[in-house]
Structure formats: C-alpha cells, structure tokens
Amino acid sequence: MTTSIKKLPDTEQVLSGNGSCGGCPATMALRIVGKALGPNAIMLLTPSCAVASMGMTPKLGYNWPCINICFATAGSSAAGIAHALEIMKEKGRLQGELPTVFSWVGDGGTYDIGFQALSAAAERNDNFIHFCYNNEAYSNTGVQRSGATPRGSYTTTTPAGKRQPKKNMALLMLEHNIPYVATATVAYPGDLYDKVVKAKNIPGMKYIEILAPCYLGWQFDMSETVQMSRMAVRCGAWLLWEAENGKITFNNPTSLIISGKKDPAPVDEYLMKQGRFNRFLKGPDASQRIAEIQNDINLEIAFMRERAKIAV
Ligand code: SF4
C-alpha cells in the first residue's frame, strides 16, 4: 500500500528561504526525498538548478553536508565518498549508522555529461543512491536540449523542436544489473517516498529518476507543476515502475495502462498545455507530428510491457 501524503514525516531537510523558482518540481521532489532519507545523509550536487537554489554556506537551503562536484563526476565522486565512509567505519573512525550517500543531479548530468562515471559506478555496484531530477533540458543555463528532451520540444538549441526521441535512461541503468531502479514524479509523493525508503535500505547502487516538469523550460504556469506531472503519467509519457534485482513492477496508474485495464489519455492535451511544443505542432503537419509523439509513447509502453516479462 502506497504511503499517503498525510502520513509523510513532518521533518524537513529542505529549508524555507532557498533560491529555487516558485513551483519548482525539483525542490518539491527533494523535500519528499528528505523526508524519506532523514538527516543522516551526505548530498553531492553537480552544476544545476539545485546548486543555484541551495544558497551559500553558512545559510544553505538543505539540511545535509553538501558537496559541489564537477559536472561529469557524480558517479565517481559519490563512489569515493561511500568507500571512504566504509573504510572509516572499518578503522573505528566513524561510529553509528553510516550516512546515506546520494547524488542529486539533473538530466544533463545524468543522461549526457555524467553518463560515463555513472555507468562505471553502476558496473562496480558502488553503495549510493543516484537521483536524476529530470526536467528534460538544461534549465539552469537557459534551456538547452539534453538526451532527456522529448521529440518536438523547443529548447534554445532545438528552436524548431527536437527531431529525435528521448533516451530511456532508467532502462539503461537497469541493464547494468544494479539492485534497485525506480521512476517517480511529484504528482505521486507517496510513491516517491516509498521508493526512497526502500532504496535507502538496499546495499549497492540505486538509481531513482524523478520526472520534474519545469514551468520555465516547458512553458506552462508555475501553479500547474503537479497537474503537468499527473498528465504525463496518465498519457503514458512517463511510466512509473521499479525493479528490485532485475524484476520490474509497474506502479499505479501506470500498472493499469500496462495491463490494458485502462487506456492512456491521448497525448494531445498534455502537449497543448506546454508552450515548448507550440512551434513543432504549428502548421498543416500538426496531426502527423502529434502522431509521431504518440507513437514514441506507444512504443515505449509496448517495449516496457515485454521487458517486464524478463527477470534477470
Ligand atoms: S528552472 Fe525549473 S528546475 Fe530550475 S529552479 Fe526553476 S523551476 Fe526548478
């Protein structure tokens, strides 16, 4: 049974007065992650909105020791910290429970620039949680395309709309045979909370990717962040699933779509709510282009349905 939002702990690790935009999905997600991790954790951040939001010592917006690292090094830096803590514990220099080491990284630092170090850490099964808060672009630097940007989306480097579909990064991480992989998004806070609690108690590498609809890059009203997140799941543009030791389980409402009990909502309404698709969907080819995006979604649903039948 998924934890109700009303039952989430009152404790906060994301403090008020931080510098994120109003309605920021990444900060909402981090708040829930903080409730699940508690204070005994060490946070690593690559350059991103989360760094710009947290402020400067001694007035950090996050209630953990925070380490700013190079863009490409989330995997190697988190692995190094995790190993150092284990050695300190072995040598008796650290008492009590080991802190949870986690990297908090955008899609640029996960899908693109940080992929090599992340892949190596996954292959070694290093003991930390990598969170990717995926806002589907490099939002912090003015919205450039990333490997997570979906087909048709405007960014400053895809002014006519991106022509390629996005990668399935969570699936790529699953194929590294790590013990836990999950996807989540802010409209389903109990689902995210439960996944983080689970990941915290699993040794080895864990990967959790959170869809983070960013009003700035996606061009919608900042009061609609949660609604946009819910719409993404309902139309199948974002699938909620987790895999423990290679076994994939789908979470509601995605499980209803995968099992065929419910049809995904047509993608049109989700696309039309976002200004980033305006240019791509303008003109006489609009319906063909919507069909292309719908096809990307249908293919992913069909692929994940079949992939889930294979347990490693
Ligand atoms: S640009 Fe987007 S992701 Fe970055 S702080 Fe603002 S709302 Fe959050």
Side-chain angles (χ1 to χ4, degrees), residues 26 43-51 71 74 103-115 118 130-140 146-148 169 207-210 212:
M43 179 183 200
L44 292 95
L45 305 98
T46 58
S48 67
C49 287
V51 174
F71 220 149
S103 38
W104 184 255
V105 178
D107 45 296
T110 300
Y111 280 61
D112 306 339
I113 296 171
F115 183 65
L118 192 61
H130 181 92
F131 290 98
C132 171
Y133 66 92
N134 175 5
N135 53 22
E136 299 191 332
Y138 290 79
S139 296
N140 181 46
S146 77
M169 183 68 195
Y207 176 86
I208 299 181
E209 183 166 337
I210 305 162

Side-chain angles (χ1 to χ4, degrees), residues 25-277:
T27 309
M28 281 183 209
L30 185 59
R31 192 173 166 214
I32 298 159
V33 166
K35 288 174 183 292
L37 291 181
N40 190 24
I42 297 176
M43 179 183 200
L44 292 95
L45 305 98
T46 58
S48 67
C49 287
V51 174
S53 301
M54 82 174 173
M56 292 172 77
T57 307
K59 294 184 178 171
L60 289 188
Y62 310 148
N63 190 32
W64 295 288
C66 297
I67 307 173
N68 287 309
I69 53 173
C70 297
F71 220 149
T73 67
S76 45
S77 300
I81 303 272
H83 281 292
L85 290 171
E86 276 159 21
I87 289 164
M88 284 169 74
K89 177 99 177 166
E90 249 175 59
K91 293 192 170 176
R93 290 200 220 150
L94 193 67
Q95 308 302 322
E97 205 181 315
L98 278 179
T100 305
V101 177
F102 74 102
S103 38
W104 184 255
V105 178
D107 45 296
T110 300
Y111 280 61
D112 306 339
I113 296 171
F115 183 65
Q116 182 183 357
L118 192 61
S119 173
E123 189 271 329
R124 290 189 303 264
N125 198 23
D126 291 320
N127 187 21
F128 67 96
I129 309 175
H130 181 92
F131 290 98
C132 171
Y133 66 92
N134 175 5
N135 53 22
E136 299 191 332
Y138 290 79
S139 296
N140 181 46
T141 48
V143 192
Q144 293 81 29
R145 70 169 266 169
S146 77
T149 305
R151 188 196 300 277
S153 175
Y154 165 87
T155 66
T156 53
T157 47
T158 54
K162 188 178 163 189
R163 297 296 157 147
Q164 301 81 15
K166 62 186 178 179
K167 293 187 208 174
N168 188 338
M169 183 68 195
L171 183 65
L172 283 172
M173 293 310 291
L174 178 69
E175 305 304 356
H176 286 73
N177 297 320
I178 58 177
Y180 190 70
V181 176
T183 63
T185 186
V186 287
Y188 302 89
D191 176 71
L192 170 59
Y193 175 83
D194 291 345
K195 286 169 174 171
V196 179
V197 169
K198 194 180 281 181
K200 183 182 162 184
N201 294 309
I202 296 173
M205 171 113 188
K206 288 79 59 178
Y207 176 86
I208 299 181
E209 183 166 337
I210 305 162
L211 181 72
C214 161
Y215 84 94
L216 184 84
W218 295 25
Q219 300 174 23
F220 60 82
D221 189 275
M222 64 165 73
S223 64
E224 294 177 330
T225 300
V226 172
Q227 188 193 349
M228 206 56 69
S229 157
R230 193 175 296 114
M231 287 177 86
V233 173
R234 286 186 178 167
C235 73
W238 188 250
L239 304 179
L240 294 176
W241 57 274
E242 62 187 325
E244 288 181 69
N245 297 316
K247 172 92 185 85
I248 297 175
T249 313
F250 296 98
N251 313 106
N252 268 336
T254 298
S255 52
L256 299 172
I257 295 174
I258 295 283
S259 65
K261 289 184 182 149
K262 195 169 182 181
D263 288 333
V267 76
D268 324 26
E269 200 190 336
Y270 172 65
L271 299 177
M272 300 302 187
K273 273 256 180 203
Q274 303 170 53
R276 64 177 174 158
F277 292 106

